[in-house]
Amino acid sequence: MAETRVGSIEEDIGEVLITREEIEEAVARIGGEVTRDFRGEPLIVIGILKGAFAFMADLIQAIDLPMEIDFMDVSSYGTSTTSSGEVRILKDLSTSVEGKSVLIVEDIVDTGLTLSYLTNVLKSRGVKKVSIATLLTKPSRRERAVDIDYCGYEVEDKFVVGYGIDYAEHYRNLPYIGVLKASIYEK
Ligand code: IMP
Ligand code: MG
């Protein structure tokens, strides 16, 4: 169980990787691209819980199109070192996706297992088109090919937190993307 923490979260951050301004730039850029690309199509935007909630909230406000929104929560089987490639759906959609264009919103694409699985699940449900928007990608860690349509920033192989992304369920409320001090992991 995550320990109950007290005090400032900023003092645990060793390095700022993506500033708040850079996040805002990416949101505006991707929002504009989606607005241009999906005009005239029934659109459903699906956020992957919990990490994508912050990006999702900002991104949908940068898209000037009619849309529905929904959420899915998924978890990988196995540990991070022994990933079986299987993904479990913890919370499924409450909306029908059949015949609609789907935009999946993710916080970070790492091994690609989650999104390669989800893309196949949604295709099997008869969606018209599946597109992917992610704030971050770590291409050096990829095990499954993922076709990313909209990407904020590429990051190197470092464990990042903030703007929805957690370490042991904490730091999601940090307003930018950072890397924790090594001392935090050693606790
Ligand atoms: P994938 O299936 O390996 O691509 O998993 C992607 C998921 O792993 C993301 O949605 C995150 O929840 C988590 N993840 C990957 N990299 C990081 C990181 O650097 N910090 C926190 N969570 C991460
Ligand atoms: Mg996630």
Side-chain angles (χ1 to χ4, degrees):
M1 209 176 78
E3 69 179 300
T4 304
R5 299 182 45 77
V6 293
S8 161
I9 55 169
E10 300 238 12
E11 62 195 30
D12 294 351
I13 303 302
E15 184 192 351
V16 179
L17 272 194
I18 317 272
T19 65
R20 181 72 210 180
E21 291 69 31
E22 287 170 326
I23 291 173
E24 283 167 8
E25 277 170 30
V27 166
R29 166 170 54 82
I30 296 172
E33 289 169 359
V34 171
T35 303
R36 184 196 63 206
D37 295 349
F38 287 82
R39 195 163 295 287
E41 295 177 46
L43 172 63
I44 175 157
V45 181
I46 297 175
I48 309 304
L49 295 171
K50 301 176 190 169
F53 83 95
F55 181 44
M56 168 95 167
D58 286 340
L59 181 61
I60 59 168
Q61 294 173 72
I63 301 172
D64 181 18
L65 291 175
M67 69 169 72
E68 294 174 76
I69 67 160
D70 209 337
F71 294 93
M72 285 181 93
D73 191 2
V74 295
S75 95
S76 301
Y77 280 116
T79 66
S80 53
T81 45
T82 60
S83 196
S84 62
E86 257 186 279
V87 177
R88 188 163 40 132
I89 297 176
L90 302 176
K91 184 225 170 286
D92 209 334
L93 300 172
S94 52
T95 329
S96 165
V97 289
E98 202 179 335
K100 294 172 188 164
S101 296
V102 167
L103 179 67
I104 300 177
V105 178
E106 179 61 301
D107 50 359
I108 179 163
V109 183
D110 187 37
T111 63
L113 293 173
T114 306
L115 283 187
S116 65
Y117 172 84
L118 271 185
T119 308
N120 288 331
V121 167
L122 292 172
K123 281 181 180 159
S124 75
R125 294 182 184 179
V127 303
K128 188 172 154 226
K129 181 171 91 178
V130 182
S131 304
I132 293 172
T134 186
L135 180 67
L136 304 175
T137 180
K138 279 186 202 168
S140 62
R141 297 251 314 154
R142 205 73 91 243
E143 292 172 26
R144 298 283 161 84
V146 174
D147 204 355
I148 298 174
D149 302 273
Y150 309 96
C151 181
Y153 297 98
E154 210 174 284
V155 291
E156 46 185 309
D157 185 8
K158 287 181 178 171
F159 193 84
V160 301
V161 296
Y163 194 62
I165 303 172
D166 74 306
Y167 168 61
E169 293 299 330
H170 282 77
Y171 305 101
R172 295 191 197 273
N173 54 325
L174 191 72
Y176 51 82
I177 302 288
V179 178
L180 292 172
K181 290 175 180 163
S183 58
I184 302 299
Y185 302 108
E186 288 153 10
K187 273 182 188 158

